[in-house]
Amino acid sequence: MSGPKTGNGAAKASLWPLLGRRAGSALLTLLLVSMVIFAIAGLLPGDAAQEALGQSATPEQVAALRHEMGLDQPAPVRYARWLSGMMHGDAGQSLVAGMPVRAIIAERLPNTLMLAGMTAVLAVPLALVMGIAAAIRRGTWIDRAINLASLSMVALPEFLVATVGVLIFSVKLMWLPSIAMVSAEASWSDTLRSCALPILSLTVVVVAQMARMTRAAIADQLDRPYVEMARLKGASLSRVVLGHVLPNCLGPIVNAMALSLSYLMGGAIIVETIFNFPGLASLMVNAVTSRDMPLLQACAMIFCSAYLLLMLVADMVALLANPRLRAQ
Amino acid sequence: MDFSRRAMMLGGLGAGLTGYAPAFGKTMPKRGGSIRVATQSVSTADTLDPAKGALSTDYVRHYMLYSGLTRIGHDLIARPSLAERIESADRITWHIALRRGVHFHQGGELTSADVVFSLLRHKDPGLGSKMASLAEQFAEVRADGRYGVNIRLTGPNADLPAILAQSHFLIVRHGVDRPDGNGTGAFRLAEFKPGIRTVTVRNPDYWVPGKPYLDRVELIAIPDEVSRVNALLAGDVQLVNAVAPLSTRRVEASPAHAIATTPSALYSNLIARMDRLPSGNPDFIAALKHLIDRPLVKRALFRGYATIGNDQPIPPFHPYYNPAIPQTALDLDRAKWHVQRGGFQNVRLPIFCGPAVEGSVDMASVLQEYGARVGLDLAITRVPSDGYWSTHWMRHPLSFGSTNPRPTADLVFSLFYKSDAPWNETGWKNPRFDQLLLAARGETNEANRKAMYGEMQQIVHDRCGSIIPVFINLIDGHDRRLQGLNPLPMGGLMGYQFAEHVWWAA
């Protein structure tokens, strides 16, 4: 009796250093990302001063503005200055908008989180239901229908999904707005209505991948002897799936979910463009075209952090759900 | 509706005064209403500072909040606005008498101090004014009493009133480092979020009696053209600019919406660098000019929403247009003759084009096709928009450029064709042209001035490597209930100044 108990306790104790190592490597990754971003952005033609003044700039104007923005200093100095600012939680001043990066991001981040959150609330249960239904009805018409649906969803480019959605629901039927106007004053129902099409488009894009991964993971478990044993003992199918199979394949499912959700944070650029949604992805594209380095880096750090955080959560869930993983 | 006919009508001066929503007939202007407007460009660089305006949302925003000393009419002639009079005997020293009793939104009467401050700030290199190079000609700007301003230029320039009408020279309150929307314009600022939206409300104390009519204008940007047109058709916005020629049919098919087209001096030109070879060879340039099927470009690329050009930047509806220059047309035999005479049969030359310049990729393809028929090997090099202006424009023997409408012939010639101009795109030098350009600025006899501009057009047409197949119309789309829109060739959306003039008839 005591053997397994201590074993379990040791496994629990070893969870924290494991997570600590993960968090440490995540921080290191963030640092590397910021360096890569800085280096690559340096390769882009022109800089913020040139982009701000545009086609009509004279060399003297560019030089003056470059000095004002501090762009005439060597890149390592600029990078070090930015990094030390970040250590103190100060993302710096936007070169283009002339306001703190933090203020610009504070305007957009809630929008992105809201869009990603609402999409997740819709997409995750939908994907689970689709995946489980397909797995337990393997080979039937339900499985084939879900398979076909998710395959075609994967194949459809999101600009097509979003544009067709707008054409049908906004232009033809006039049920939903074609652009997502989010503002702090709008009521919840207004916001929900305004974001309905972006959320639906994103759901279509992410749900298919999640559903397919869920089906694969559950189908894999259903073939195991313990499932047969449980069924022979008289457990109902729903009880076997929910009580035995699902916890066992939680790791891979949560991993697939985390991957898809991290896409919602940063990869939603096409949907943001089509619906004119004031989110982080379009902000980052804007930062690239205007060569606004502090803003660009802040956005990149947020996307990278969100990705790493989601992966960390997925790993933790997997570790908690499956103690065997901790031994490795 | 017959658009080419309407475009021709607008070619005649004064015809521009006819409205653009003829299906509804004339209604009387009416107070009230709130509209949402979407333009095509937005950025976190959106600004409340007129000097820094660079995008269409900036121009619209600035014209709503601030007023200028002068404003340009539908006939492209500048008229007094905040200035009651603007006079000069020698075109060097100018006197401006300001309108009295005009107040800023946040209080305080407009005085000469505001005007002096607003004009001189463009000379500060740290500001990054888009008009810094033009402001260099302000030798002195000085107050003359509370309501008078004297301007002395470095040389004569008859076009000062037109220059002052540009949005960049709108008047801000004296002493502000960063203008915050406090102007004398028709609307007051209610909300400004760079890169997201601007909301303005009617200024009840606007100095133009009875105007504006609208209570509220919300300005957003939808950069994606398809989404912009969809938003209009779905009723989410009531006015959009930069509708693609292909989308006009969708808008016209909707009974509730209409297209408003403005012939303009906007052009996309092929630039042959004259300081390089082979693009600098006159035979090469002549061959290119005869390889362009202008009616095809107008019909196929712009669906007829364009005016045929003749390799010089003054459009046919401009007061100084010279109609005597023979039109260059597609002539493969002549092109072939020039190609052979110059010995260009075996030269492979890239043409740099891309989405940064409207129509450039298609124009390059047409050129490549016709070029192949006369033994000219042109290679299309498609490059991305990002960084186009700093890395490709004017940097290769053959590239495309794009020039927005300017208020005067002098401006477009000075900025793009003068030998020492920073954007002398083709790198050409023509002493006679430069001499005429300077002389025309000081010429007081209007007939002589017109003759001088006529000769300059002839010289550019004959000698310069700037190839201008068509002038592109600006196309707006609007809800039919929005009335009072009149084309103004300085830009779409009524030269970006619609807000003050339109009304909501619902």
Side-chain angles (χ1 to χ4, degrees):
Chain A
M1 280 300 267
S2 66
K5 217 175 187 177
T6 43
N8 202 8
K12 255 188 191 142
S14 71
L15 193 60
W16 291 112
L18 199 63
L19 290 176
R21 274 209 301 282
R22 283 285 163 87
S25 74
L27 280 177
L28 192 67
T29 311
L30 280 176
L31 186 70
L32 286 173
V33 164
S34 74
M35 283 161 85
V36 168
I37 293 271
F38 205 89
I40 291 178
L43 298 177
L44 291 170
D47 58 20
Q50 220 165 27
E51 290 300 326
L53 295 171
Q55 193 194 3
S56 49
T58 60
E60 304 86 68
Q61 281 173 278
V62 176
L65 192 60
R66 206 168 266 162
H67 180 72
E68 193 194 334
M69 288 174 164
L71 293 174
D72 47 356
Q73 287 170 355
V77 174
R78 278 182 283 135
Y79 178 72
R81 190 168 293 168
W82 172 81
L83 196 63
S84 75
M86 281 303 264
M87 300 285 188
H88 301 98
D90 173 19
Q93 191 85 2
S94 159
L95 294 180
V96 173
M99 51 201 273
V101 166
R102 192 204 300 231
I104 300 177
I105 288 185
E107 185 84 44
R108 306 286 191 109
L109 188 59
N111 294 344
T112 293
L113 289 177
M114 191 251 312
L115 188 64
M118 298 214 282
T119 307
V121 165
L122 190 62
V124 168
L126 192 63
L128 276 179
V129 169
M130 280 171 73
I132 293 171
I136 58 182
R137 294 267 181 269
R138 257 184 306 171
T140 67
W141 65 271
I142 295 180
D143 184 25
R144 280 201 296 276
I146 290 176
N147 206 13
L148 190 71
S150 60
L151 265 179
S152 31
M153 280 166 158
V154 168
L156 279 179
E158 53 199 294
F159 73 84
L160 191 67
V161 174
T163 308
V164 169
V166 169
L167 284 178
I168 294 174
F169 294 105
S170 305
V171 176
K172 209 86 224 143
L173 300 172
M174 294 208 168
W175 289 349
L176 294 169
S178 66
I179 44 176
M181 297 296 296
V182 285
S183 72
E185 305 89 64
S187 68
W188 251 104
S189 64
D190 277 350
T191 308
L192 203 63
R193 203 177 101 82
S194 158
C195 294
L197 276 177
I199 292 170
L200 287 176
S201 310
L202 282 174
T203 302
V204 167
V205 174
V206 296
V207 93
Q209 199 65 32
M210 292 198 278
R212 292 181 66 78
M213 295 291 279
T214 306
R215 180 193 178 278
I218 290 179
D220 175 54
Q221 292 290 323
L222 283 176
D223 292 336
R224 300 284 172 95
Y226 77 87
V227 174
E228 198 180 353
M229 176 66 81
R231 290 286 284 161
L232 287 173
K233 280 181 170 173
S236 70
L237 185 62
S238 60
R239 195 173 153 199
V240 171
V241 169
L242 295 177
H244 300 267
V245 171
L246 208 50
N248 268 317
C249 49
L250 210 54
I253 291 178
V254 172
N255 216 314
M257 305 257 164
L259 267 176
S260 297
L261 296 182
S262 71
Y263 169 84
L264 289 180
M265 281 296 292
I269 178 63
I270 294 171
V271 168
E272 285 192 13
T273 302
I274 287 176
F275 294 103
N276 207 40
F277 185 86
L280 272 185
S282 60
L283 185 68
M284 182 159 165
V285 170
N286 206 303
V288 173
T289 50
S290 59
R291 307 287 185 265
D292 194 346
M293 287 307 299
L295 185 57
L296 174 58
Q297 292 209 299
C299 290
M301 297 305 264
I302 289 176
F303 292 147
C304 196
S305 312
Y307 178 83
L308 292 168
L309 196 68
L310 280 165
M311 287 301 135
L312 201 65
V313 169
D315 284 350
M316 272 166 69
V317 170
L319 286 171
L320 290 173
N322 190 348
R324 269 178 304 171
L325 290 174
R326 293 175 217 167
Q328 291 160 11
Chain B
M1 265 178 260
D2 180 352
F3 284 96
S4 55
R5 189 177 61 85
R6 196 189 302 166
M8 273 169 54
M9 270 169 51
L10 293 171
L13 295 180
L17 295 171
T18 53
Y20 350 91
F24 262 66
K26 289 240 181 290
T27 61
M28 288 301 286
K30 184 177 149 200
R31 265 284 308 280
S34 165
I35 61 166
R36 191 185 283 148
V37 182
T39 70
Q40 92 270 36
S41 44
V42 73
S43 141
T44 44
D46 284 355
T47 175
L48 290 171
D49 188 342
K52 292 186 181 174
L55 303 167
S56 47
T57 62
D58 290 334
Y59 303 147
V60 171
R61 185 181 314 116
H62 297 160
Y63 277 123
M64 287 197 284
L65 299 172
Y66 308 96
S67 325
L69 290 168
T70 55
R71 65 169 83 205
I72 293 202
H74 301 286
D75 49 8
L76 292 176
I77 291 170
R79 292 183 175 76
S81 179
L82 281 183
E84 216 161 39
R85 289 187 315 278
I86 173 161
E87 305 154 327
S88 172
D90 56 2
R91 314 274 163 129
I92 296 179
T93 53
W94 294 76
H95 179 76
I96 295 172
L98 288 178
R99 188 178 291 277
R100 296 173 190 222
V102 176
H103 287 86
F104 283 91
H105 299 156
Q106 291 165 22
E109 192 185 4
L110 171 90
T111 65
S112 51
D114 302 309
V115 174
V116 172
F117 175 80
S118 298
L119 295 186
L120 284 180
R121 64 196 294 267
H122 294 272
K123 297 186 74 154
D124 171 11
L127 178 70
S129 163
K130 301 286 176 196
M131 291 290 131
S133 56
L134 278 175
E136 276 170 22
Q137 56 184 307
F138 300 156
E140 189 185 32
V141 181
R142 168 169 71 71
D144 174 18
R146 193 169 159 79
Y147 301 105
V149 177
N150 289 326
I151 301 176
R152 187 165 55 79
L153 302 178
T154 51
N157 193 343
D159 288 328
L160 184 69
I163 289 171
L164 293 178
Q166 296 192 78
S167 74
H168 304 91
F169 286 113
L170 295 173
I171 302 303
V172 300
R173 191 80 166 126
H174 70 87
V176 291
D177 281 341
R178 298 170 64 91
D180 56 359
N182 180 23
T184 57
F187 290 85
R188 291 180 176 176
L189 189 65
E191 183 189 338
F192 173 58
K193 288 189 175 149
I196 302 179
R197 76 163 71 77
T198 308
V199 178
T200 62
V201 293
R202 185 174 188 275
N203 174 10
D205 303 323
Y206 188 47
W207 56 272
V208 177
K211 286 191 172 180
Y213 304 116
L214 294 172
D215 284 336
R216 183 175 177 277
V217 177
E218 179 175 348
L219 179 66
I220 60 168
I222 308 180
D224 181 56
E225 196 265 342
V226 175
S227 305
R228 196 161 60 244
V229 171
N230 282 338
L232 177 73
L233 295 180
D236 294 318
V237 298
Q238 287 73 44
L239 176 66
V240 297
N241 77 339
V243 174
L246 263 178
S247 306
T248 52
R249 268 186 274 167
R250 286 185 64 211
V251 179
E252 302 246 276
S254 158
H257 297 93
I259 284 292
T261 172
T262 310
S264 82
L266 168 73
Y267 62 81
S268 300
N269 60 333
L270 175 62
I271 300 161
R273 288 295 297 187
M274 302 192 65
D275 49 4
R276 313 250 182 97
L277 285 173
S279 54
N281 186 313
D283 275 313
F284 186 81
I285 292 172
L288 286 180
K289 287 181 177 174
H290 286 102
L291 278 178
I292 295 182
D293 187 346
R294 291 157 211 260
L296 175 77
V297 170
K298 175 178 170 175
R299 192 176 67 240
L301 271 57
F302 298 104
R303 304 258 149 187
Y305 293 98
T307 313
I308 302 258
N310 198 15
D311 308 328
Q312 57 83 14
I314 307 299
F317 50 82
H318 194 281
Y320 290 146
Y321 175 70
N322 178 359
I325 305 173
Q327 174 70 48
T328 309
L330 177 71
D331 187 337
L332 292 180
D333 293 333
R334 268 188 83 166
K336 193 167 193 170
W337 183 79
H338 283 294
V339 166
Q340 283 171 350
R341 194 166 82 146
F344 304 121
Q345 289 95 331
N346 297 314
V347 186
R348 184 173 169 82
L349 200 61
I351 300 188
F352 285 82
C353 55
V357 181
E358 192 180 355
S360 66
V361 179
D362 294 327
M363 275 192 243
S365 313
V366 174
L367 259 176
Q368 185 188 39
E369 167 70 22
Y370 284 114
R373 295 193 204 167
V374 299
L376 199 60
D377 189 5
L378 300 170
I380 297 175
T381 308
R382 202 191 139 118
V383 292
S385 297
D386 188 43
Y388 181 84
W389 300 105
S390 48
T391 42
H392 298 295
W393 176 55
M394 304 179 7
R395 306 277 161 120
H396 310 286
L398 287 179
S399 65
F400 276 91
S402 172
T403 298
N404 285 320
R406 311 277 158 172
T408 68
D410 176 67
L411 268 178
V412 66
F413 279 143
S414 304
L415 290 171
F416 294 92
Y417 295 89
K418 196 163 173 272
S419 298
D420 58 358
W423 317 316
N424 176 2
E425 293 177 319
T426 61
W428 82 320
K429 294 202 174 4
N430 191 302
R432 172 72 185 153
F433 177 88
D434 292 351
Q435 190 195 338
L436 280 168
L437 187 61
L438 291 181
R441 287 182 189 166
E443 178 58 56
T444 47
N445 180 316
E446 201 49 32
N448 289 349
R449 209 163 177 239
K450 185 167 181 178
M452 288 169 164
Y453 281 117
E455 190 183 341
M456 284 185 252
Q457 290 166 54
Q458 182 83 52
I459 296 172
V460 172
H461 166 87
D462 292 346
R463 306 276 172 80
C464 188
S466 168
I467 297 157
I468 304 170
V470 294
F471 295 100
I472 304 166
N473 289 6
L474 307 167
I475 307 173
D476 301 331
H478 65 95
D479 191 303
R480 281 187 185 271
R481 288 169 289 182
L482 187 70
Q483 307 222 335
L485 275 169
N486 268 315
L488 214 155
M490 293 317 304
L493 302 176
M494 223 168 154
Y496 306 110
Q497 299 169 48
F498 68 92
E500 184 179 341
H501 306 289
V502 297
W503 63 93
W504 186 248

